[in-house]
Amino acid sequence: QVQLVESGGGLVQAGGSLRLSCAASGRSFSSYAMGWFRQGPGKEREFVAAITWSGGSTYYADSVKGRFTISRDNAKNTVYLQMNSLKPEDTDVYYCATKLRSDSMRSSFNYDYWGQGTQVTVSS
C-alpha cells in the first residue's frame, strides 16, 4: 500500500511559478514510477508529466513541455512538479500517482495509487 499527499497548489498570476510536492509513504517508493495528472470540472484526467523510478527518464505532455519539470528525491520519498510560465489554461486540480507496472507512463489507467489532489488556479 502507498499513500500520496500533494501540496503546493494555490493561486498565481499568469507567468508565475508554483512547485507542487507529493509525499509518499508506504513500501518501496523508490521502486515505482511516478506521474502527475490534472483534471478540471467535466474534463477527463489529463497526463502532465511522469518520471521513472531512478529519475533517469522523464515524460511530458506537449502542452507543458519546456515550462514544467518533474523530479524526485527518493531519500525524501517525494516527487516534485516545478511549474513555470503558468497560463490560465493550467488551472486544474493536480494529482500525483504511482504505478507498479512497466507499461505506458501516459495513461491514467496504468496508475495504481492516487493522492487527493491540490488546486492550482492561474489568473489572467
Side-chain angles (χ1 to χ4, degrees):
Q1 191 79 7
V2 177
Q3 293 80 41
L4 304 173
V5 179
E6 302 98 334
S7 60
L11 173 65
V12 64
Q13 289 189 332
S17 298
L18 284 174
R19 189 175 83 154
L20 305 183
S21 298
C22 175
S25 59
R27 59 186 180 93
S28 305
F29 167 80
S30 60
S31 301
Y32 302 148
M34 299 292 297
W36 286 97
F37 290 77
R38 63 188 183 187
Q39 187 172 23
K43 295 164 52 180
E44 291 188 356
R45 192 159 292 188
E46 176 189 17
F47 171 75
V48 176
I51 188 167
T52 54
W53 69 272
S54 67
S57 295
T58 55
Y59 307 81
Y60 296 96
D62 289 343
S63 58
V64 307
K65 199 174 295 183
R67 300 188 298 121
F68 291 10
T69 302
I70 188 171
S71 62
R72 67 189 296 163
D73 185 339
N74 287 341
K76 296 182 178 181
N77 284 2
T78 302
V79 64
Y80 305 98
L81 186 67
Q82 177 67 43
M83 306 187 295
N84 299 328
S85 302
L86 282 160
K87 305 175 181 180
E89 51 263 43
D90 294 318
T91 295
D92 264 330
V93 177
Y94 284 70
Y95 299 88
C96 71
T98 185
K99 62 191 302 292
L100 309 182
R101 300 176 301 276
S102 57
D103 46 16
S104 171
M105 302 282 271
R106 297 176 181 271
S107 173
S108 62
F109 296 105
N110 294 337
Y111 286 77
D112 302 284
Y113 298 100
W114 292 83
Q116 83 289 349
T118 185
Q119 176 71 47
V120 171
T121 303
V122 184
S123 63
S124 57

